Amino acid sequence: ATPALRHGYLTALGWAFTLFNSVRMAAYLPTVWAIHTSRDSSQHSLWTWCTWFGANLTMALWLRERNGGRFDRAAAVNLGNATMCGVTVLLIVWFRF
């Protein structure tokens, strides 16, 4: 592939990643809202949400380290997903215990 084609592909891929992962952050809201309004977190796995929180957080930190200590778009998106998973974990814990 030509350098221009490769650059265009990488640019499009970067924006697609950002778009879909940003939408994913919004996709957490129905679960957060359902737990909050029902005050019942029994149907949600604390183990699963803690795993997703840890995976997103460590990916954000790993990407930051791979980028010379700077947060790029990918690291920021993973940090946002970790935040939403963390909010869900807190709600599960709050209403379960």
Side-chain angles (χ1 to χ4, degrees):
T2 66
L5 185 60
R6 175 95 175 132
H7 176 73
Y9 164 73
L10 291 175
T11 300
L13 182 60
W15 282 107
F17 170 85
T18 303
L19 171 69
F20 284 109
N21 278 279
S22 297
V23 169
R24 184 170 68 153
M25 280 188 279
Y28 293 115
L29 294 174
T31 300
V32 168
W33 184 252
I35 295 170
H36 175 71
T37 57
S38 71
R39 304 176 66 85
D40 178 17
S41 65
S42 63
Q43 64 188 356
H44 300 278
S45 169
L46 183 57
W47 174 252
T48 299
W49 283 99
C50 284
T51 300
W52 290 339
F53 169 74
N56 281 297
L57 181 61
T58 56
M59 177 59 95
L61 296 173
W62 182 79
L63 287 167
R64 179 182 171 269
E65 292 303 319
R66 300 277 298 175
N67 196 29
R70 291 176 290 133
F71 273 97
D72 63 359
R73 186 176 5 168
V77 166
N78 274 278
L79 188 58
N81 282 305
T83 300
M84 294 305 294
C85 289
V87 167
T88 306
V89 165
L90 291 174
L91 281 173
I92 291 170
V93 169
W94 180 261
F95 290 116
R96 188 161 303 167
F97 304 105

